[in-house]
Amino acid sequence: MMRWAGLLFAGMMGLASAPASAQDLLDPHPLAGVVDELRIGLNAHDVHHAALPFLVGEWRLDRIEDVSFDVLFASPDLDAFRWIGAPRPEIGATLNLGGQDSLVHANLTWQLPVFDTPLYLEAGLGVAVHDGALSGAAPGRKNFGCRINFYERWGVGMQVSDQATATLTYEHTSNNGWCDANDGLSNVGLRLGWKF
């Protein structure tokens, strides 16, 4: 738990200072062309087991105990990336502060504007590594089956300003039945972003 708390503190301090630091840097800033956006969020933990966020009436929203950090990189200037819609590579973590399961992920994130509005739709696909049990989990915990699982995220967001975004997200990790156990974990939250 101390390891997660240290990571959480370091991430919060880094993101808290990002807007002020970004204003003080020379143009172009050192992250230009590499990092596109930094995000921090709060999430309700384990709202459902399903990968797709359709069964909203079944969601459990009573445990807002996750903090998320994400780094979205600029889409590489490669034909292969343009051919698949120019997704942004991403790394991130969802850390549970209530003694439940946490995860780190690496994925590609696609964003689709909603006509000529500040709204957008978002989808991410990749892999996640968790700190939970593979089998024999304590009551109330998950049996993930595999240490590395699939990671999907769906979102609806808004470009609040030229630099700021807000995205309502549904993230899910499971192994699609590739291991003996396959308890899916889905978290719902709001991620606030700072674009460079």
Side-chain angles (χ1 to χ4, degrees):
M1 186 62 183
M2 290 304 294
R3 166 181 60 165
W4 291 117
L7 288 172
L8 172 63
F9 180 74
M12 287 176 62
M13 294 306 295
L15 285 175
S17 65
S21 298
Q23 294 170 359
D24 296 337
L25 297 174
L26 299 174
D27 281 334
H29 60 80
L31 299 178
V34 179
V35 173
D36 186 52
E37 184 176 358
L38 297 176
R39 291 181 178 175
I40 185 170
L42 287 176
N43 305 281
H45 183 78
D46 191 21
V47 298
H48 203 265
H49 65 275
L52 296 174
F54 299 138
L55 303 172
V56 177
E58 297 179 8
W59 289 4
R60 298 177 303 272
L61 299 171
D62 58 335
R63 294 192 311 182
I64 300 175
E65 57 188 31
D66 291 349
V67 178
S68 60
F69 304 98
D70 305 295
V71 180
L72 290 95
F73 298 93
S75 184
D77 187 20
L78 300 170
D79 287 339
F81 270 75
R82 284 189 289 273
W83 186 76
I84 61 172
R88 294 182 290 174
E90 176 182 339
I91 57 172
T94 301
L95 308 177
N96 181 272
L97 305 179
Q100 298 294 313
D101 306 305
S102 298
L103 59 94
V104 295
H105 62 87
N107 58 285
L108 296 177
T109 298
W110 287 262
Q111 205 170 79
L112 178 67
V114 178
F115 304 111
D116 191 21
T117 71
L119 301 177
Y120 55 84
L121 303 176
E122 190 170 274
L125 180 62
V127 296
V129 179
H130 60 84
D131 66 352
L134 303 183
S135 63
R141 300 291 297 269
K142 298 284 184 176
N143 290 307
F144 286 96
C146 302
R147 181 62 58 200
I148 299 174
N149 287 324
F150 293 104
Y151 177 84
E152 304 93 29
R153 190 175 71 228
W154 314 99
V156 177
M158 180 176 180
Q159 189 76 37
V160 179
S161 72
D162 288 344
Q163 286 82 32
T165 64
T167 311
L168 181 64
T169 62
Y170 182 94
E171 70 177 355
H172 174 79
T173 186
S174 64
N175 63 52
N176 197 34
W178 288 18
C179 297
D180 291 337
N182 184 28
D183 289 344
L185 173 66
S186 298
N187 305 313
V188 170
L190 179 65
R191 284 167 156 86
L192 302 178
W194 179 265
K195 294 181 71 75
F196 289 92

